[in-house]
């Protein structure tokens, strides 16, 4: 939620800091870049110092970053504070997932992942309306101050309830891999963010994107010849893990684009206020929460392959439905379409996040977790960049200002891209992940 909560508050923050909302979008980018740089090292940190200790320290860093955001008095200090927040967030999410995987019996992992996926679904949708509400009725500073007591409680609960079960691994840090992966992920995320949200001239975004791609290629070459690389790419030799990451990344292109396109369409095409559009888009979060209660039984009944392939089609179809919305469309139809889309995306996220660990041994989970987290961040950033590029090209070709038809085109294209995940999931073995879903394997 914190990566999106300031989006509707940018004008107020910019006015207070004496800068422009366009320039302040660097704070959004700084947060994402910090995530991209430090997520790859989270697995090594968990092995070296213990997942519980790193998790609590990550919350503390996030709290300090939040407080620094609240007291910032310039664009520079605010961007730096957001980057510090991102550093804490980079450790929190993958290490938190790693703790769940290590502490949960395999036959209960689907249910655990279902609950763990709820914040990932609700956060991007809840951030803008909550940020708008706080900024409207209080001041933008409270967006960050409220994190302080919540973070302190989080540190206390983690210390009280999370067991110390780690066998620490004193593995030497792959500094070359850290530098290359950091440059690669940061370059890609920063470049795509700047291109789609023009806070800087386009050539800056294209240049950093090129640097990111080159660094990523160099990291792949480096990892192939190192005994203990920072991110162990040999995990992709496992078909189930590979399908989970690749198929999930293709699908997330749409998930990254929809929160960008939908509120903008409601405001530009429908004339709604930011708060009204935020409340409409939040409908899909209701569907996401609802599906969590039926995820385990559905995977047990139909298996991962069939469930994920079906959800990919349903979710792509729901994205396409957004392309038919007009100001005259009854709200109850919009509610139902967004609700169905939330259900499909929720089930697919739960399945993908669980399936990725089906055939990964316990001593490799600290390697698998940052890989999946990096793939998630990059695919979401690409999704936003694709959506922004579609709107730009559509308005340019048709020679008019941004209007409703441009959003319709964007949703149709994004739906096709997301639907391609079906072909990745359908090639799975029908029994893939049966030890996690509880579904009895076929008799051979």
């Amino acid at each position: 939620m914190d990566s999106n909560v300031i989006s509707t508050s940018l004008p107020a923050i910019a006015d207070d800091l004496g800068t422009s909302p366009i320039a302040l979008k660097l704070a959004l980018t700084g947060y994402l870049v910090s995530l991209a740089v430090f997520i790859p090292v989270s697995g090594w940190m968990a092995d070296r110092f213990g997942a519980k200790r790193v998790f609590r320290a990550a919350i503390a860093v996030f709290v300090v970053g939040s407080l620094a955001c609240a007291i910032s008095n310039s664009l520079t200090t605010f961007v730096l504070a957001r980057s510090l927040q991102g550093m804490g967030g980079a450790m929190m999410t993958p290490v938190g997932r790693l703790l769940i995987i290590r502490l949960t019996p395999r036959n209960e992992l689907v249910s655990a992942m279902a609950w763990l996926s709820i914040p990932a679904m609700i956060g991007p949708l809840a951030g803008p309306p909550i940020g708008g509400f706080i900024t409207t009725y209080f001041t933008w500073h409270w967006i960050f101050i409220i994190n302080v007591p919540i973070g302190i409680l989080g540190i206390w609960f983690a210390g009280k309830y999370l067991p110390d079960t780690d066998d620490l691994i004193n593995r030497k840090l792959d500094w070359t891999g850290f530098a290359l992966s950091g440059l690669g992920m940061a370059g890609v995320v920063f470049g795509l963010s700047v291109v789609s949200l023009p806070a800087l001239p386009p050539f800056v975004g294209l240049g950093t994107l090129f640097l990111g791609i080159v660094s990523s290629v160099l990291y792949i070459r480096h990892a192939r010849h190192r005994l203990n690389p920072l991110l162990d790419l040999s995990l992709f030799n496992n078909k189930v893990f590979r399908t989970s990451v690749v198929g999930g990344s293709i699908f997330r292109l749409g998930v990254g684009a929809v929160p960008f396109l939908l509120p903008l369409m409601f405001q530009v095409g429908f004339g709604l206020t930011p708060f009204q559009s935020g409340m409409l888009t939040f409908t899909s979060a209701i569907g996401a929460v609802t599906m969590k209660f039926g995820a385990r039984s559905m995977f047990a009944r139909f298996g991962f392959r069939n469930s994920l392939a079906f959800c990919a089609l349903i979710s792509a179809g729901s994205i396409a439905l957004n392309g038919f919305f007009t100001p005259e469309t009854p709200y109850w139809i919009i509610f139902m379409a967004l609700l169905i889309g939330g259900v499909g995306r929720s089930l697919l996220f739960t399945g993908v996040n669980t399936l990725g660990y089906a055939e990964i041994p316990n001593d490799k989970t600290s390697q698998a977790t940052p890989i999946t987290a990096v793939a998630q961040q990059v695919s979401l950033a690409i999704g936003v960049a694709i959506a922004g590029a579609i709107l730009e090209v559509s308005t340019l070709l048709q020679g008019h200002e941004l209007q409703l038809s441009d959003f319709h085109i964007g949703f149709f294209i994004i739906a096709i891209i997301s639907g391609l995940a079906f072909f990745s999931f359908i090639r799975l073995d029908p029994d893939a992940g049966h030890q996690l879903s509880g579904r009895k394997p076929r008799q051979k």
Side-chain angles (χ1 to χ4, degrees), residues 30-39 41-42 57-59 61-62 80-94:
Y31 186 93
L32 295 175
V33 168
S34 192
L35 285 178
V37 170
F38 290 100
I39 282 176
V41 79
S42 61
I59 299 176
V61 170
F62 187 84
L80 290 174
R82 284 289 286 176
S83 299
L84 183 61
Q85 266 192 313
M87 187 188 304
M91 296 293 174
M92 255 195 289
T93 303

Side-chain angles (χ1 to χ4, degrees), residues 108-172:
E108 297 179 8
L109 195 56
V110 171
S111 297
M113 283 297 186
W115 286 107
L116 190 65
S117 299
I118 289 179
M121 293 293 297
I122 294 180
L125 299 171
I130 289 177
F133 178 83
I134 292 176
T135 303
T136 301
Y137 296 103
F138 300 93
T139 69
W140 64 266
H141 305 82
W142 284 97
I143 292 174
F144 304 103
I145 294 173
I146 199 173
N147 290 336
V148 176
I150 294 173
I152 292 172
L153 280 174
I155 294 172
W156 182 81
F157 277 118
K160 181 176 177 61
Y161 292 107
L162 292 180
D164 294 301
T165 58
D166 293 334
D167 293 323
L168 301 184
I169 302 174
N170 192 9
R171 177 163 48 95
K172 186 178 179 180

Side-chain angles (χ1 to χ4, degrees), residues 33-110:
V33 168
S34 192
L35 285 178
V37 170
F38 290 100
I39 282 176
V41 79
S42 61
W44 179 86
M45 292 280 290
D47 283 344
R48 177 66 181 84
F49 301 105
K52 174 182 174 179
R53 190 175 291 113
V54 172
F55 184 66
R56 298 181 74 200
I59 299 176
V61 170
F62 187 84
V63 167
V64 172
S66 298
L67 197 57
C69 286
I71 63 176
S72 295
N73 57 5
S74 68
L75 174 63
T76 301
T77 56
F78 189 74
V79 171
L80 290 174
R82 284 289 286 176
S83 299
L84 183 61
Q85 266 192 313
M87 187 188 304
M91 296 293 174
M92 255 195 289
T93 303
V95 174
R97 182 180 299 178
L98 180 60
L99 280 163
I100 292 289
I101 294 164
R102 287 180 172 176
L103 298 173
T104 304
R106 288 266 167 160
N107 63 335
E108 297 179 8
L109 195 56
V110 171

Side-chain angles (χ1 to χ4, degrees), residues 85-327:
Q85 266 192 313
M87 187 188 304
M91 296 293 174
M92 255 195 289
T93 303
V95 174
R97 182 180 299 178
L98 180 60
L99 280 163
I100 292 289
I101 294 164
R102 287 180 172 176
L103 298 173
T104 304
R106 288 266 167 160
N107 63 335
E108 297 179 8
L109 195 56
V110 171
S111 297
M113 283 297 186
W115 286 107
L116 190 65
S117 299
I118 289 179
M121 293 293 297
I122 294 180
L125 299 171
I130 289 177
F133 178 83
I134 292 176
T135 303
T136 301
Y137 296 103
F138 300 93
T139 69
W140 64 266
H141 305 82
W142 284 97
I143 292 174
F144 304 103
I145 294 173
I146 199 173
N147 290 336
V148 176
I150 294 173
I152 292 172
L153 280 174
I155 294 172
W156 182 81
F157 277 118
K160 181 176 177 61
Y161 292 107
L162 292 180
D164 294 301
T165 58
D166 293 334
D167 293 323
L168 301 184
I169 302 174
N170 192 9
R171 177 163 48 95
K172 186 178 179 180
L173 178 61
D174 177 14
W175 285 103
T176 301
F178 178 53
L180 290 175
S181 66
L183 282 173
M185 296 303 101
V188 170
V189 171
F190 182 83
L192 291 173
S193 299
V194 170
V195 167
S196 59
L197 300 173
L200 293 174
F203 73 87
V204 175
L206 293 175
T208 53
L209 178 60
F210 177 75
L211 174 64
I213 293 173
V214 171
S215 299
S216 298
V217 171
L218 291 176
Y219 176 79
I220 292 173
R221 293 184 59 183
H222 165 78
R224 286 176 176 172
H225 299 93
R226 185 176 174 88
L227 181 62
N228 292 306
L230 186 68
L231 299 174
D232 188 358
L233 302 183
S234 68
L235 294 176
F236 283 97
N237 295 331
N238 182 281
K239 183 180 179 180
V240 173
F241 179 80
R242 183 172 66 249
T243 301
S244 171
V245 174
V246 174
S249 297
I250 294 172
F251 180 76
R252 284 190 184 95
L253 295 178
V255 175
V258 169
F260 171 78
L261 289 174
L262 201 56
L264 201 57
M265 183 180 75
F266 286 150
Q267 294 174 53
V268 175
F270 287 36
L272 301 180
T273 67
F275 185 70
Q276 289 172 327
S277 69
M279 294 307 295
L280 262 180
T281 55
F282 192 71
T283 307
S284 61
I286 300 174
V289 175
T290 303
M291 193 60 238
K292 297 308 175 186
F293 299 100
R296 184 174 183 179
S297 60
M298 187 163 184
F299 287 120
R301 174 69 178 85
F302 300 104
F304 279 102
R305 186 192 71 168
N306 296 335
S307 297
L308 293 178
F310 175 74
C311 286
L313 293 180
I314 291 295
S315 300
S318 72
I319 294 174
L321 281 178
N322 296 333
F324 294 101
F325 293 162
T326 68

